[in-house]
Structure formats: structure tokens, C-alpha cells
Amino acid sequence: MAKLIEKVYGEALFELAVEEGRTTELMEEIKLVKQVLSENPELAKMMQHPGIPVKEKEQVIEQIWGGKISREVSGLMVLLLKKEHYGKLPQVLDYFLEKVREKERIGIAYVQTAVALSDAQREKVEKRLLETTSYRTFEMYFDVEPELIGGMIIRIGDRVVDSSIKTRLENLSRQLYQIKL
């Protein structure tokens, strides 16, 4: 049932966005909503608290989001609230974002390096990923992990390319242990 809720509501919002030619606009709004929700976990608790009347929760949505996001997105939040599915809001929003990324061929890349990359290096990594994949653009997330020693690890969906020195050393160590004297 859970997957059905996120699919039904996420798909409805996606179809509306496509129909109105507003996928990029709504995607940016939803990223904002997700950011605010992740930074304020107490908000989700309050919105799901059974002792607070739905009308008061609707007013909270209007106070927080009124004028900052479209009526479609705030309306979705109110609808989920009324249908007692507000707890599924993050999954609904993720479903919508996934559909938009699929339609617009936007990839998500997580890049781990031993040292911080310069802007030029970051652009070079992104350019190389665009050349070697079918995506038109990427949402790039860079992270510094000193224990990699050197090289990088790139994750796109379920694919991982690991060229870190740490992994190379681990592989070499395993090979050496397998040598019989």
C-alpha cells in the first residue's frame, strides 16, 4: 500500500507538471520543501500528531509555505494531510523528483575524493560523466574522504566506479594473501 500512495500522488503531480510545462519549476519547489523538512524534523512530528486538528495543520502549511511555493505543491501537502498520508510526503516528493529526472535525463552523481577538487576539476568530472552516459545534465554531490588516499569513487544510481588508491591497495593485499608459497 505504501508504494501505491507515493505513486498515485507523485504521478498525479508529475502529470500536472508535464501538462502545464512546469516540471522544472515544481522540481525546484519540491527540493526546497525537502530541504526545509529535513532541517526541521519536528515539523513532520507536529503535522502527524493526532491531537492537533487538521484545520490547525492546514494553517501551519499556509503560514510556512504561503507565497513561497505553488498552490499545487501546498495543495498536495494539504490533501495528504486530510487523507492521513502526510507521513508519506517525503516518498511522494521523491517519486515526483525521480519521474522528472527520468523525463529530463538528469542524473545524480556522488563523487568522493581524498582531497577537495577545484571548480575546474569538478567541471571536468561532470563533463566526462556527461560524455560517457546518456544524461543531459547532472546533480553533482562532492564529498572529501581522506582515507581514500587518492583517486575517486563515483556513484550514479546503482553503478559504482572506484579508482581510489585505498581500494587498489586492498585488492593488492587480497591478491598477495592468496599467493601460496
Side-chain angles (χ1 to χ4, degrees), residues 93-108:
L93 300 180
D94 286 342
Y95 183 90
F96 173 84
L97 291 175
E98 187 178 306
K99 293 288 289 184
V100 171
R101 287 180 184 119
E102 183 180 301
K103 178 187 182 302
E104 302 292 333
R105 292 187 12 233
I106 300 169
I108 300 176

Side-chain angles (χ1 to χ4, degrees), residues 105-120:
R105 292 187 12 233
I106 300 169
I108 300 176
Y110 299 92
V111 180
Q112 294 177 310
T113 56
V115 296
L117 299 178
S118 68
D119 289 342

Side-chain angles (χ1 to χ4, degrees), residues 156-170:
I156 301 172
D158 59 357
R159 295 184 322 191
V160 177
V161 176
D162 186 342
S163 65
S164 68
I165 293 176
K166 176 184 176 190
T167 299
R168 290 179 187 177
L169 290 172
E170 288 171 353

Side-chain angles (χ1 to χ4, degrees), residues 2 6 12 15 17-18 22 29 46 48 70 73 91 93 107 109 134 136 140 143 147 150 162 168:
E6 64 197 48
E15 288 175 9
V18 169
R22 297 175 52 211
E29 287 182 16
M46 187 207 56
Q48 295 179 73
S70 64
V73 176
Q91 293 90 340
L93 300 180
S134 61
R136 290 189 332 195
M140 302 290 294
D143 190 27
E147 62 271 5
D162 186 342
R168 290 179 187 177

Side-chain angles (χ1 to χ4, degrees), residues 46-59:
M46 187 207 56
M47 296 302 282
Q48 295 179 73
H49 193 283
I52 302 173
V54 173
K55 281 287 180 207
E56 285 183 31
K57 294 175 185 177
E58 285 181 49
Q59 290 171 347

Side-chain angles (χ1 to χ4, degrees), residues 48-78:
Q48 295 179 73
H49 193 283
I52 302 173
V54 173
K55 281 287 180 207
E56 285 183 31
K57 294 175 185 177
E58 285 181 49
Q59 290 171 347
V60 169
I61 290 173
E62 183 57 37
Q63 288 172 352
I64 294 172
W65 301 109
K68 294 178 185 81
I69 60 173
S70 64
R71 299 302 288 160
E72 292 82 359
V73 176
S74 63
L76 171 69
M77 296 166 92
V78 170

Side-chain angles (χ1 to χ4, degrees), residues 5-6 14 27 41 43 59 79 90 110 113 119 124 137 146 158:
I5 291 167
E6 64 197 48
F14 175 72
M27 184 169 104
L43 178 61
Q59 290 171 347
L79 182 61
Y110 299 92
T113 56
D119 289 342
K124 190 174 178 181
T137 186
D158 59 357

